[in-house]
C-alpha cells in the first residue's frame, strides 16, 4: 500500500511536470540505484517510467549502432525494456542497471540481425540497404561553413556505414568501448566475456574499421580536416594523445605519455 | 619489435590496452619502435584520424514517441499478465 501511495504521489508530481526531463527530475532515484532496483522488482510503474526516461535514449543509440534501420532500432529498444521489465526479478544486486540493460540490448540486436538474415533468405524483397540512416542530433555550429557541415555529415555517414561492415562480434565491442565510452571491464560484463577477449575483439574491430575507412583516412579533406567543432561523443581514444592535433603536422612524434592509462584492465588475453 | 607486430598492436596502444600487466614491456617496445619508424607513425596517425572521426559521430536520436511507445507496450504487457492470471485462476461460479 505504501508503494502504491508513493507511486501515486510521484505520478501526481510527474503529471504537473512539463516534459519528460521534468518528470525524471521529480523522481527520487537518480542517486540510489539499489532503491530503484527494489522499486522495479516490486513492480513500481513510476520506477519503470524513470528507467525508460533515463535509459531509452542511450539504449536506442547503442541498438542503432548495431542495426541498419532506425525503425528496427526503435522496435528493438521497446523489446529491450519489456524484457527488462519481465526479467528485473532476476537482476543481480551489485550489478549496474546500465550494464544489464546494455547486455539485453546487444543480445536483442544480435537476435534481430539473425532473424533478419534468415528472413532475408526467404524473402528477397526485403531491402537491406544500409543507407537508411538514423536521425541524429543536429546542432548547428555557427563557426563552421556549410561546406564544413556537409563534409562533416559525409564523414559521419561513412563511419556509420563502415561500422556496419565490421562483423557484429567485433562491432559490439568497438561500439561499447569507443562510442559508449565504457571501460574494458564494463564491456566484458556486457558481453559476458573476459577482459582479454574484449581487448582482442576491440583491436581486431579497430583494425577492420581502419582498413574500411582507409580511403577516407588518406584523403586530407576527409580525415584530418574533419574534426568538427561540436563533438557529441567523447571518444575514449580522444585522450590527450589524440587531442594534440598539432602533432599531426610534425614528422616526429613525442610518444611520452601517449597511452591512455585510465579505464583499462590487465590484458590477460591475446590481442 | 617488427613493424608487423607493432601495427597489429597499435589500436590497443592508443588507449593503453597493451600497457598494463604483462603487456607493459610491449608498450615500451612499441613506443621505442615508433620513435624510429616513419611507417608505423603514419599508421598511428591514421588511427588518430579515425578516432577523431569516431568522436564526431552524433548520438542517434530516438523517435519522439519512443518513451511513450515503451510505456504503452508496458501497460499492455501488464494487462496481458493480469489477463493470463485471471484465466489461470480457478472459477468458483
Amino acid at each position: 500500500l505504501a508503494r502504491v501511495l508513493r507511486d501515486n504521489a510521484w505520478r501526481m508530481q510527474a503529471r504537473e511536470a512539463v516534459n519528460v526531463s521534468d518528470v525524471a527530475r521529480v523522481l527520487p532515484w537518480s542517486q540510489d540505484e539499489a532503491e530503484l532496483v527494489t522499486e522495479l522488482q516490486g513492480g513500481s510503474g513510476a520506477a519503470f517510467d524513470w528507467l525508460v526516461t533515463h535509459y531509452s535514449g542511450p539504449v536506442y543509440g547503442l541498438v542503432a549502432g548495431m542495426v541498419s534501420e532506425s525503425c528496427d532500432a526503435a522496435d528493438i529498444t521497446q523489446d529491450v525494456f519489456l524484457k527488462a521489465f519481465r526479467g528485473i526479478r532476476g537482476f543481480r544486486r551489485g550489478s549496474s542497471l546500465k550494464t544489464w540493460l546494455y547486455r539485453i540490448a546487444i543480445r536483442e540486436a544480435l537476435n534481430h540481425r539473425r532473424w533478419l538474415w534468415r528472413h532475408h533468405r526467404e524473402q528477397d524483397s526485403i531491402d537491406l540497404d544500409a543507407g537508411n540512416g538514423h536521425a541524429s542530433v543536429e546542432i548547428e555550429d555557427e563557426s563552421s561553413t556549410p561546406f564544413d557541415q556537409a563534409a562533416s555529415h559525409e564523414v559521419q555517414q561513412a563511419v556509420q556505414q563502415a561500422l556496419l561492415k565490421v562483423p557484429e562480434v567485433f562491432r559490439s565491442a568497438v561500439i561499447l568501448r569507443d562510442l559508449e565510452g565504457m571501460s574494458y571491464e564494463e564491456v566484458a560484463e556486457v558481453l559476458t566475456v573476459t577482459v582479454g577477449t574484449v581487448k582482442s575483439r576491440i583491436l581486431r574491430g579497430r583494425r577492420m574499421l581502419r582498413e574500411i575507412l582507409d580511403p577516407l583516412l588518406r584523403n586530407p579533406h576527409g580525415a584530418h580536416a574533419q574534426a568538427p567543432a561540436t563533438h557529441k561523443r567523447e571518444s575514449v581514444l580522444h585522450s590527450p594523445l589524440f587531442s594534440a592535433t598539432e602533432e599531426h603536422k610534425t614528422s616526429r612524434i613525442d610518444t611520452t605519455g601517449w597511452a591512455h592509462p585510465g579505464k583499462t584492465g590487465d590484458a590477460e588475453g591475446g590481442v | 619489435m617488427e613493424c608487423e607486430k607493432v601495427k597489429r598492436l597499435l589500436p590497443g596502444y592508443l588507449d593503453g590496452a597493451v600497457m598494463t600487466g604483462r603487456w607493459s614491456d610491449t608498450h615500451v617496445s612499441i613506443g621505442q619502435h615508433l620513435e624510429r619508424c616513419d611507417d608505423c607513425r603514419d599508421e598511428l596517425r591514421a588511427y588518430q584520424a579515425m578516432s577523431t572521426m569516431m568522436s564526431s559521430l552524433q548520438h542517434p536520436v530516438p523517435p519522439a514517441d519512443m518513451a511513450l511507445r515503451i510505456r504503452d507496450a508496458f501497460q499492455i504487457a501488464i494487462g496481458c499478465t493480469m489477463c493470463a492470471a485471471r484465466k489461470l485462476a480457478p472459477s468458483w461460479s
Side-chain angles (χ1 to χ4, degrees):
Chain A
L1 179 63
R3 178 172 291 125
V4 171
L5 289 172
R6 203 167 41 199
D7 243 33
N8 285 341
W10 286 327
R11 282 180 188 281
M12 294 273 284
Q13 291 180 63
R15 220 170 277 145
E16 289 167 11
V18 177
N19 55 39
V20 170
S21 59
D22 289 336
V23 172
R25 209 173 295 130
V26 300
L27 296 173
W29 297 295
S30 55
Q31 301 299 321
D32 190 352
E33 194 168 278
E35 193 185 337
L36 173 64
V37 171
T38 303
E39 293 293 330
L40 286 168
Q41 290 180 330
S44 162
F48 188 75
D49 274 354
W50 192 96
L51 193 74
V52 171
T53 301
H54 277 75
Y55 287 111
S56 58
V59 167
Y60 176 86
L62 175 63
V63 171
M66 293 292 297
V67 300
S68 56
E69 305 284 339
S70 58
C71 55
D72 289 345
D75 288 345
I76 293 167
T77 303
Q78 182 177 310
D79 289 345
V80 168
F81 280 90
L82 287 180
K83 289 242 160 77
F85 165 66
R86 291 181 181 124
I88 189 65
R89 285 176 198 278
F91 178 81
R92 281 182 299 137
R93 297 277 170 174
S95 302
S96 147
L97 262 178
K98 181 183 172 185
T99 304
W100 182 67
L101 279 173
Y102 275 24
R103 192 182 307 148
I104 300 172
I106 291 283
R107 198 169 56 223
E108 287 299 302
L110 295 181
N111 285 343
H112 175 80
R113 292 272 300 175
R114 288 184 197 112
W115 176 86
L116 207 61
W117 184 75
R118 283 200 301 269
H119 201 61
H120 183 241
R121 281 199 308 179
E122 292 165 8
Q123 292 189 3
D124 289 336
S125 59
I126 294 177
D127 181 12
L128 282 177
D129 283 348
N132 188 356
H134 304 271
S136 59
V137 179
E138 295 293 346
I139 298 175
E140 292 294 327
D141 176 16
E142 292 175 3
S143 65
S144 63
T145 66
F147 174 79
D148 290 338
Q149 288 173 17
S152 173
H153 183 68
E154 264 181 38
V155 169
Q156 289 196 27
Q157 280 209 319
V159 176
Q160 281 168 344
Q161 305 253 340
L163 265 173
L164 288 170
K165 288 177 185 166
V166 174
E168 56 200 18
V169 68
F170 306 118
R171 190 194 325 153
S172 54
V174 169
I175 288 176
L176 289 168
R177 171 68 178 150
D178 293 347
L179 300 186
E180 297 298 324
M182 287 184 148
S183 69
Y184 282 97
E185 290 78 7
E186 287 171 325
V187 177
E189 202 180 336
V190 170
L191 299 178
T192 58
V193 294
T194 65
V195 171
T197 302
V198 166
K199 289 186 177 183
S200 174
R201 288 183 185 180
I202 288 174
L203 261 64
R204 287 188 67 182
R206 285 178 186 160
R207 279 199 296 266
M208 289 176 188
L209 203 55
R210 185 250 175 282
E211 281 175 26
I212 296 166
L213 289 171
D214 189 58
L216 197 59
L217 293 168
R218 287 178 188 279
N219 175 4
H221 294 293
H224 296 94
Q226 290 308 321
T230 53
H231 287 173
K232 298 273 79 58
R233 293 186 190 266
E234 191 63 38
S235 167
V236 291
L237 298 185
H238 223 72
S239 63
L241 165 65
F242 291 108
S243 58
T245 50
E246 284 304 304
E247 286 178 353
H248 292 184
K249 299 170 187 168
T250 64
S251 60
R252 184 177 174 80
I253 301 171
D254 176 14
T255 57
T256 309
W258 263 23
H260 186 6
K263 287 194 155 189
T264 60
D266 193 10
E268 290 165 351
V271 289
Chain B
M1 190 180 280
E2 293 174 357
C3 287
E4 190 184 343
K5 188 175 180 186
V6 169
K7 285 179 180 173
R8 191 164 55 81
L9 295 172
L10 272 182
Y13 176 79
L14 297 172
D15 65 348
V18 291
M19 78 175 293
T20 54
R22 68 189 175 91
W23 290 100
S24 54
D25 288 345
T26 307
H27 183 80
V28 172
S29 299
I30 294 172
Q32 288 169 347
H33 180 92
L34 285 169
E35 285 183 4
R36 59 177 185 272
C37 180
D38 290 342
D39 194 32
C40 288
R41 278 206 301 275
D42 285 345
E43 188 68 9
L44 187 62
R45 287 192 188 96
Y47 278 111
Q48 289 173 332
M50 189 174 87
S51 172
T52 302
M53 288 180 185
M54 298 275 278
S55 66
S56 76
L57 277 185
Q58 314 272 345
H59 206 284
V61 176
D65 64 344
M66 179 83 251
L68 191 64
R69 279 175 53 181
I70 295 171
R71 289 187 179 98
D72 285 348
F74 172 65
Q75 292 299 331
I76 291 168
I78 290 176
C80 288
T81 306
M82 291 174 74
C83 288
R86 268 190 226 114
K87 280 179 188 168
L88 287 173
S91 170
W92 301 107
S93 58

